[in-house]
Amino acid sequence: MTENRLDTILAQAGNRNNHDQYGSVSTPLYFSSNFRHPSLEEVEASDPHSGYSYSRLSTPTRDVLQDTLAKMESGCAAYAVSSGMAAIQLVFSLFKTGDKIITSDDLYGGSFRYFDYLESHYNIQFTKWNGTDYDELQQLVSPDTKAIWLETPSNPTMKIIDIDKVANILHTANPESLVCVDNTFLTPVYQQPLTQGADIVVHSATKYLSGHNDLLGGAVIAKKPQIAEELEFNFNTTGVTLDPFDSWLLLRSLKTLSVRMERHTSNAQKVAACLSNVPCIEKVLYSGQGGMVSFYLYSEDKVRQLLDNLKVVAFAESLGGVESLITLPAKQTHADMTEEARQKLGITSTLLRLSVGLENPDDIIEDIVSALGESLGQENPSPSPYANIN
Ligand SMILES: *Cc1c(COP(=O)(O)O)cnc(C)c1O
């Protein structure tokens, strides 16, 4: 039988699994932290008849979730962990002191904070690449480059990286090097890095995968069994696991991922096109897919005015949920970077990042425009959905 298409994998997440004796269509939620053994013989054979012993190692509801996560990203195995940062930490458990890692230069702020820590405490050596110049990447890579870590589109300035090209450069220099992609922004609905040469995909499941601003979670998906084995050892040993209830909530949320992403995209296209016609907005950055739109205002006064007067969009960190959220990266997600590093990347005090939710797009647009004390400028007769992309 051929593998089902992504929409079907998602909608059917957890249906027909091995863990329900009654044929329940919704996956059962097993809270139990441990599982009874019928005999010592079974323990000696390391083969518990239920398949379970202790839930840090494995537990049915999380297993069903992990099956879905692996399938949706075309991986061989997936690990559901307690946050996006826990997912990143799990991947970095593969590396050793002295290892050389390249990262793209525009990442989630927390990733940089963690990488700085790894550099100062474990002497892991990080080099930044600007994410656009592939000749430069070629020069940065050497046969002892262990991995590259990237996000595309980048956060918050929406630069696009060609994963295929990066994987090709890395694997030519060192076939064992790992191409790791944080796929939080586009999700497998729009981008499946493992089919483009990447070796590991990471998600903050707190964002689009869960989609309802009600849980903290993460996922690591591996392409090859050898990497999966090492990840699994560290997953079990360090205990970064996702608990059963959040596993169940996340599984439930995945069922609607593809429809949510489609609506995030159509809303964001409309919002991006309209905002680019508002006089006090200098520039709009949008990749064309997904719900993340960044924009620059001409003045800092307007930033304050906007954030103080929004009535529909919430001024709150995070992204990817049904409710629209707006953040000021320089003061929030990227506050730990130096001012110089932020300026270099264009993360200025007038750059805002909007996570376009699933409300009626006209309400989102009207909310922003009226909070700015503006009206929509000259209506563009056929607004491009890819408004002013960089
Ligand atoms: C939020 C986020 C993370 C961190 O995830 P948490 O669930 O908050 O730990 C990592 N990468 C990206 C792109 C994110 O947006």
Side-chain angles (χ1 to χ4, degrees):
M1 201 181 99
T2 55
E3 202 47 79
N4 284 324
R5 291 162 184 82
L6 183 64
D7 294 337
T8 310
I9 292 168
L10 293 169
Q12 294 267 333
N15 200 358
R16 296 188 181 85
N17 65 69
N18 297 329
H19 306 291
D20 82 279
Q21 51 182 314
Y22 304 114
S24 64
V25 172
S26 167
T27 300
L29 169 50
Y30 289 95
F31 276 119
S32 193
S33 57
N34 41 8
F35 300 84
R36 215 169 24 240
H37 302 297
S39 68
L40 179 58
E41 196 181 332
E42 183 208 87
V43 173
E44 285 169 338
S46 298
D47 182 26
H49 77 297
S50 65
Y52 295 97
S53 59
Y54 189 63
S55 67
R56 173 155 41 73
L57 309 180
S58 59
T59 184
T61 312
R62 193 173 69 227
D63 274 3
V64 176
L65 167 66
Q66 291 182 161
D67 278 352
T68 305
L69 292 169
K71 274 194 201 143
M72 76 178 194
E73 287 282 10
S74 306
C76 78
Y79 302 95
V81 296
S82 54
S83 70
M85 288 314 299
I88 296 171
Q89 195 188 13
L90 179 58
V91 174
F92 274 82
S93 69
L94 299 171
F95 305 124
K96 297 186 181 68
T97 295
D99 278 357
K100 291 187 180 150
I101 311 234
I102 298 172
T103 73
S104 53
D105 64 354
D106 190 22
L107 298 174
Y108 176 67
S111 303
F112 281 131
R113 187 170 54 212
Y114 181 49
F115 297 164
D116 285 347
Y117 174 84
L118 289 174
E119 194 149 45
S120 63
H121 284 67
Y122 298 99
N123 193 28
I124 291 187
Q125 295 172 25
F126 289 93
T127 309
K128 278 185 195 148
W129 169 54
N130 69 12
T132 49
D133 182 344
Y134 296 88
D135 291 336
E136 188 199 322
L137 178 62
Q138 192 89 56
Q139 279 156 20
L140 293 176
V141 167
S142 67
D144 60 354
T145 301
K146 289 287 177 205
I148 187 163
W149 184 273
L150 54 91
E151 276 177 44
T152 176
S154 71
N155 179 5
T157 60
M158 309 294 163
K159 284 188 291 197
I160 307 282
I161 295 173
D162 184 333
I163 299 171
D164 269 310
K165 232 174 176 168
V166 168
N168 206 354
I169 293 172
L170 263 274
H171 291 147
T172 304
N174 173 8
E176 301 291 307
S177 66
L178 299 175
V179 175
C180 310
V181 179
D182 181 334
N183 202 24
T184 299
F185 270 31
L186 285 189
T187 83
V189 172
Y190 294 122
Q191 176 167 276
Q192 296 181 11
L194 300 184
T195 66
Q196 296 172 259
D199 301 282
I200 294 178
V201 164
V202 159
H203 282 274
S204 167
T206 313
K207 316 295 170 54
Y208 287 105
L209 299 192
S210 65
H212 292 71
N213 291 319
D214 57 6
L215 73 84
L216 202 61
V220 179
I221 301 112
K223 182 154 129 189
K224 296 194 198 106
Q226 190 198 343
I227 300 296
E229 225 170 86
E230 204 175 336
L231 287 169
E232 181 157 351
F233 176 84
N234 289 325
F235 175 78
N236 291 336
T237 303
T238 61
V240 287
T241 54
L242 191 64
D243 70 276
F245 184 56
D246 282 346
S247 295
W248 186 87
L249 269 182
L250 180 51
L251 186 64
R252 177 190 161 133
S253 296
L254 286 177
K255 288 168 175 280
T256 55
L257 179 65
S258 59
V259 239
R260 285 188 284 110
M261 291 312 289
E262 280 170 27
R263 178 67 183 268
H264 280 299
T265 297
S266 67
N267 276 5
Q269 289 179 346
K270 197 159 181 191
V271 168
C274 286
L275 292 188
S276 64
N277 287 319
V278 175
C280 67
I281 294 179
E282 186 182 354
K283 186 170 170 187
V284 177
L285 308 174
Y286 181 50
S287 73
Q289 286 181 316
M292 299 307 297
V293 176
S294 294
F295 59 92
Y296 291 95
L297 291 172
Y298 279 110
S299 83
E300 277 188 48
D301 292 347
K302 283 282 182 189
V303 172
R304 190 169 296 274
Q305 183 186 338
L306 173 67
L307 297 177
D308 288 351
N309 289 288
L310 290 164
K311 308 236 164 359
V312 175
V313 178
F315 175 32
E317 288 189 51
S318 201
L319 61 104
V322 292
E323 301 89 356
S324 290
L325 305 178
I326 195 164
T327 57
L328 183 59
K331 295 241 165 88
Q332 295 177 284
T333 50
H334 293 66
D336 282 352
M337 293 170 72
T338 61
E339 172 69 20
E340 191 194 347
R342 279 198 301 267
Q343 288 301 327
K344 205 168 148 216
L345 291 170
I347 306 173
T348 67
S349 54
T350 59
L351 175 69
L352 290 143
R353 192 192 71 187
L354 176 65
S355 170
V356 178
L358 304 185
E359 302 91 347
N360 185 301
D362 293 334
D363 287 329
I364 302 170
I365 294 160
E366 281 167 26
D367 190 40
I368 294 170
V369 171
S370 81
L372 286 167
E374 294 270 1
S375 55
L376 278 174
Q378 191 70 45
E379 194 67 51
N380 184 339
S382 57
S384 156
Y386 313 110
N388 285 1
I389 309 166
N390 255 345

